[in-house]
DNA sequence: TTTAAAAATTGATATATGTCAGTCTTTTGG
DNA sequence: CCAAAAGACTGACATATATCAATTTTTAAA
């Protein structure tokens, strides 16, 4: 992207693709030296785009890589013994997925594209090796995993303590924050997932999700056109969930 | 402990405390060389016992250490904006807590002893440094964190999809498995946490927990005397939750 | 573009679990 | 050892959300 080149990095001698990737500010450890970025770049494989519905990895597959989302969205899920799908997360650009596979060398969930999606594949053994030579990278990895633990625990709070309204509002605000971080609008975005997937993720029936969204719209809190969402009254919404989503709260202290 | 000394390690030249700790098989990376164990040992501080109700660290405190439980039990929890406590985990001997603090350098939860408890404090900066010199240790750390992510996601499935019976049964079987791993009885143990704490953790009212436990007892599935629990019909209980708790299932493939 | 299939919405009803209240039991501190 | 407080249990009732069913809208395929 010429835009990407016309920034502060324009004068860099780097030739790496990571360097030129519009996501690098988010996905690269901030303080990696130029040379380190090049080394990281060399272990990354850019895979061809996934179409909607394509599987990136399957529950039970041997764990080899973690993936950074470049464009699009994925969901991770397990198939429970009773055969139902349980969604455990949604992944947007710049986010890393697959970390849960490290423990047993097997992915404990499947990952599926919700729309056309591109990812960078990062073979974990290489990443781990490289992290031996680059302490900052190692620390970043610890941080990313720690944040995931923190986020998942917030999700536990949501599932255990919140009512349907709070659950849906939390998801919308969470997505909003993630879009914002990537430089997109915090108040107007497109949901890549269906109402059914939202319900599955939040522990609600589809019908309940639908009703909550309708109610929010009648309240004038949001405006909805299919998958397009505009948050009209961000304040009210934040109040609704008691905003200070704990992990987030701490961030702002 | 003389018992500990009378095992295969008796002939070791190691003098470290970790080496002699009855938990070492669980808490030490299995394949650390003797010398590495000694180095690990040197960074660990053994703290004086916590009494029931004592706080190990507080939500918002600066993150400095992770802790390995030696004896006793702790819970981690956050105080939500509305002032309620939400328990995010219980920690038994050999388990590591505090990892969620790495990300923001602040503990996002508090940790409190449920009974008299001893822990080893492991300053994280030292551990991280040491992990640079001992790749196996680094890998173990990644694994521990990955497992935590995996476990938390299972918890999300539990909270989102399971009914009260399944939730309580899942917790009992989960505790059972953890006791078993440490060499204790898998079918007879003492709950360190109150019914209220169980309910809080599982997203249920105390009364519901009480009723479920009573029902299980009437079914002859368990026998209860206050906090003492005996699982009578493990099979039935495993069937109840559809056993193959996913992460566990994969382990057994 | 037309048609079939999938997803979303809405209403009526059922139900699991929460809430409230009272009692009994266990734990704890003096 | 006793008294007070905390925890646990049980029943009656309330309610949020699930389930079922029917309709409308959107998406995907031919």
């Amino acid at each position: 992207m010429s835009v990407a080149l016309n920034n502060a990095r324009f004068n860099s001698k780097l030739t790496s693709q990571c360097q030129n990737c519009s996501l690098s500010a988010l996905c690269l450890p901030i303080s990696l030296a130029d040379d380190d970025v090049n080394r990281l770049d060399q272990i990354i494989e850019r895979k061809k785009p996934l179409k909607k519905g394509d599987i990136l990895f399957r529950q039970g597959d041997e764990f080899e890589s973690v993936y950074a989302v470049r464009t699009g969205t994925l969901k991770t899920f397990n198939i429970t013994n009773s055969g139902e799908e349980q969604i455990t997360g949604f992944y947007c650009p710049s986010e890393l997925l697959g970390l849960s596979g490290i423990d047993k060398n097997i992915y404990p969930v499947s990952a599926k594209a919700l729309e056309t999606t591109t990812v960078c594949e990062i073979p974990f053994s290489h990443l781990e090796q490289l992290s031996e030579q680059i302490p900052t990278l190692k620390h970043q990895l610890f941080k990313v995993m720690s944040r995931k633990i923190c986020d998942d625990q917030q999700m536990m709070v949501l599932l255990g303590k919140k009512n349907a309204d709070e659950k849906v509002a939390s998801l919308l605000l969470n997505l909003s924050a993630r879009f914002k971080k990537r430089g997109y609008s915090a108040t107007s975005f497109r949901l890549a997932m269906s109402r059914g997937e939202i319900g599955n993720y939040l522990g609600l029936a589809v019908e309940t999700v639908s009703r909550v969204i309708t109610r929010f719209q009648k309240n004038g809190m949001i405006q909805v056109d299919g998958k397009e969402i505009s948050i009209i009254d961000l304040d009210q919404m934040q109040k609704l969930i008691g905003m200070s989503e704990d992990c987030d709260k701490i961030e702002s202290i």
Side-chain angles (χ1 to χ4, degrees), chain A residues 189-204:
Chain A
F189 46 88
R190 187 169 182 289
L191 298 172
M193 65 294 292
S194 70
R195 303 290 194 267
E197 286 164 330
I198 292 175
N200 182 303
Y201 180 59
L202 297 177
L204 296 172

Side-chain angles (χ1 to χ4, degrees), chain A residues 113-131:
Chain A
L114 296 180
E115 56 191 327
T116 303
T117 296
T118 54
V119 299
C120 292
E121 175 172 5
I122 312 171
F124 187 71
S125 58
H126 293 180
L127 186 59
E128 203 176 3
Q129 246 175 272
L130 195 56
S131 79

Side-chain angles (χ1 to χ4, degrees), chain A residues 48-52 54-56 74 113 115-119:
Chain A
K48 73 172 203 299
L50 298 163
K51 291 197 306 290
K52 178 174 178 173
D54 284 354
I55 297 277
L56 179 58
L74 300 108
E115 56 191 327
T116 303
T117 296
T118 54
V119 299

